[in-house]
Amino acid sequence: MKYASHITAIGEMANELLEKNQSIILVDERLAKNLVNTLAVQHAGAMLEEEIGVGDTWILGNLAFIVTDIGENANENFQQTGHC
């Protein structure tokens, strides 16, 4: 497992963003303590054990997502800020 954390809060419109755009915005609670954007899912920060790459599976509850693309600085940004 490359990264494991748990959800600490869910913005009131996060589910709508997932359903309409197949997107989820993650925010590390260490940087935005108790300030969940209405579209964001807040999580407890953890260490990224290995870089995330295309083809990886991201599991959120009972949902599984395949990573199809990743930005040039995505791993660095996620490790430093917990935001993606």
Side-chain angles (χ1 to χ4, degrees), residues 26-28 30-31 43 76-84:
L26 294 177
V27 177
D28 186 329
R30 295 175 296 176
L31 299 177
H43 66 97
E76 180 181 348
N77 289 341
F78 188 62
Q79 183 60 47
Q80 290 178 0
T81 67
H83 172 71
C84 67

Side-chain angles (χ1 to χ4, degrees), residues 42-75:
Q42 182 175 292
H43 66 97
M47 289 295 296
L48 182 60
E49 300 295 331
E50 187 179 332
E51 286 196 349
I52 299 165
V54 173
D56 285 351
T57 302
W58 180 51
I59 298 172
L60 178 63
N62 62 353
L63 301 173
F65 303 89
I66 302 298
V67 177
T68 58
D69 195 14
I70 190 159
E72 183 178 329
N73 299 316
N75 282 291

Side-chain angles (χ1 to χ4, degrees), residues 9-29:
I10 300 173
E12 61 189 44
M13 295 177 62
N15 192 49
E16 184 177 335
L17 179 66
L18 175 60
E19 289 175 358
K20 289 185 177 180
N21 298 330
Q22 297 180 332
S23 298
I24 295 174
I25 300 169
L26 294 177
V27 177
D28 186 329
E29 71 176 6

